[in-house]
Structures are given as C-alpha cells and as structure tokens.
Amino acid sequence: MKAPIYIYYQLDNYYQNHRRYVKSRSDKQLRYGLQYNDTSSCIPEESNDGLPIVPCGLISWSLFNDTYSFFRGTDELRINRKNIAWKSDRDHKFGKHVFPFNFQNGTLIGGAMLDPNVPLSDQEDLIVWMRTAALPSFRKLYGKIEEDLEANDVISIYFLNNYNTYSFGGRKKLVLSTASWLGGRNNFLGMAYIAIGSCLIVLALVFILLHVKNPRPYGDAMYVSWNWKGIPN
C-alpha cells in the first residue's frame, strides 16, 4: 500500500441521521462561542450546573473516542492527525477563538473529552464527527499513515475500546485504504450508477418499442395546442 494510507473507523447500525440527533447542535455557537447565547437547539446538552456547554448538543457530546496505535515489528508507525477535516469546515464553521467550555462535566459522559486550551478549529476529530452521516453504516477519517506498507509486513494494532456501541447493537470496524486520482473506493456509488443506468436503458427501450408500435403521425394538426378544444372526447 502506497502512502498516504488512510485510517478510517467504521460504525454500523448507528443512526447519525436521526432528526433529534441532527438538530441537537448550534452552528452559530461553534463559530462564535459564548458570544452566542441561544443554545435551545442543543437540548438536552445545552447547559450544565447553570453554565452553557461549548460545544453544545448531542452530536459533540457523543464524540467517538477509541484510539489506535500501529506498529511494524517493534517500530511504531506515525499517524498524521492533521488535515483530516474539510478545510472549509476548519476555516468557516469552527471558530479560531472558540474554546471548549464546561464540556463533558455532567454526570453522564457521552464520548471523548476535548482539550480546553485548543480552539475548535484545531480539534479536527470533532470537526470530522460533526459532519453527520446520511446512512446508518459510515466511515470517518481517523488519520493518515505517511509510509509505504510492503507485502509481508506484519502490522500490529493496539486500540483502546472506549466507545460503547454494544447497548444498541452497533458494530465497530477499522479500515485501511488508499486513494487514486479518482478518489477512494466506494462500492455503493458504483453500484448505484450501474443500477440507475440499467433502469434508464430499460426505459429507453420501452419508449422505443412504444414509438415503433404506435408512431405519432408527423404533421397532424390535432396535436397543435390551439386545436385541443376541438379534440373529440
């Protein structure tokens, strides 16, 4: 596998597209922090002990918190955790002067903690997680290995299994993948193109057969719009 090698964590049976879950966030607070006081959309994670939570809402509260380490033999492979989020999100959706405040201080901890000394625009794990998935099985980028992996290399992976998916029957997977100039491998997209293209071909053949069997006569005035009223029932 040629570098860069992308590390993804995959979650199955996890409905990030649930309406209440998707709405439980405040985009203006992510951008402006405590300057924006209306966090009613973040219920039930809008405040704790009378103080606002930054970032508020269920999405950030449930931030994925498994961690991975990779070794080739006895040598640890360095994982690049930078530039894993969309640049537009880092620059325009998460404030460079907005810091986590009162986060995960409640009695029930949802997921990962955030460094209160690092602005949200630099907390790329959070930014990746906050871009919610449309389907119940999804992958999110964890990091990149910037070394080539050769055939017959033995890679050992050590992980901390912190994130609880067992209570709702979810599953977790770790995926290593590379990308070409066309992007990463996506079986669903290819199958969707083939299915839609096949349906369109079948419809085209049906319309051709209908036209051959019952062709429309050329130059027939009865199909002119101003003669519609004269068409007998």
Side-chain angles (χ1 to χ4, degrees):
M1 301 178 74
K2 299 296 182 182
I5 301 166
Y6 299 96
I7 305 169
Y8 297 91
Y9 57 88
Q10 177 174 324
L11 295 175
D12 297 330
N13 199 37
Y14 193 117
Y15 289 83
Q16 264 200 324
N17 59 350
H18 191 285
R19 183 172 178 271
R20 287 191 62 191
Y21 184 86
V22 171
K23 290 182 64 177
S24 186
R25 64 184 292 164
S26 173
D27 290 325
K28 289 187 177 179
Q29 189 207 58
L30 294 173
R31 180 65 174 165
Y32 303 108
L34 293 173
Q35 299 177 27
Y36 186 75
N37 298 321
D38 184 8
T39 57
S40 58
S41 61
C42 293
I43 294 174
E45 289 294 324
E46 78 282 10
S47 63
N48 182 47
D49 291 334
L51 297 174
I53 297 173
V54 180
C56 66
L58 286 173
I59 305 177
S60 56
W61 175 80
S62 59
L63 176 61
F64 188 79
N65 62 345
D66 282 2
T67 58
Y68 307 100
S69 299
F70 292 78
F71 291 84
R72 177 164 48 190
T74 58
D75 298 328
E76 183 173 3
L77 294 172
R78 192 176 70 86
I79 301 175
N80 184 0
R81 305 295 310 281
K82 295 294 184 182
N83 298 321
I84 60 174
W86 290 17
K87 187 176 186 299
S88 58
D89 288 355
R90 298 196 306 266
D91 294 345
H92 303 295
K93 291 188 176 182
F94 292 78
K96 291 181 172 57
H97 303 288
V98 179
F99 295 85
F101 175 77
N102 198 27
F103 185 71
Q104 300 286 27
N105 288 334
T107 56
L108 184 62
I109 303 301
M113 307 294 290
L114 295 175
D115 190 337
N117 300 312
V118 177
L120 295 186
S121 61
D122 292 338
Q123 308 238 22
E124 296 199 45
D125 281 343
L126 174 68
I127 299 175
V128 170
W129 181 256
M130 293 291 288
R131 185 167 282 278
T132 53
L135 299 174
S137 294
F138 58 86
R139 296 176 183 177
K140 291 186 181 289
L141 186 59
Y142 179 83
K144 294 176 287 186
I145 297 175
E146 297 181 331
E147 302 177 36
D148 294 344
L149 298 182
E150 305 296 337
N152 300 320
D153 279 350
V154 177
I155 306 299
S156 302
I157 304 172
Y158 297 87
F159 64 94
L160 291 178
N161 185 21
N162 297 316
Y163 204 70
N164 180 15
T165 59
Y166 311 110
S167 60
F168 57 88
R171 295 179 298 276
K172 297 185 287 187
K173 299 175 183 176
L174 180 65
V175 180
L176 299 183
S177 180
T178 56
S180 67
W181 63 275
L182 289 174
R185 180 177 178 180
N186 190 328
N187 292 333
F188 173 79
L189 195 60
M191 290 186 291
Y193 285 158
I194 293 173
I196 294 173
S198 301
C199 291
L200 293 177
I201 291 173
V202 171
L203 287 174
L205 292 174
V206 169
F207 283 119
I208 290 172
L209 292 175
L210 289 174
H211 178 71
V212 171
K213 183 179 179 181
N214 298 307
R216 174 180 171 178
Y218 294 105
D220 192 338
M222 70 175 294
Y223 292 102
V224 179
S225 60
W226 55 77
N227 288 331
W228 284 355
K229 293 182 179 179
I231 296 177
N233 294 327

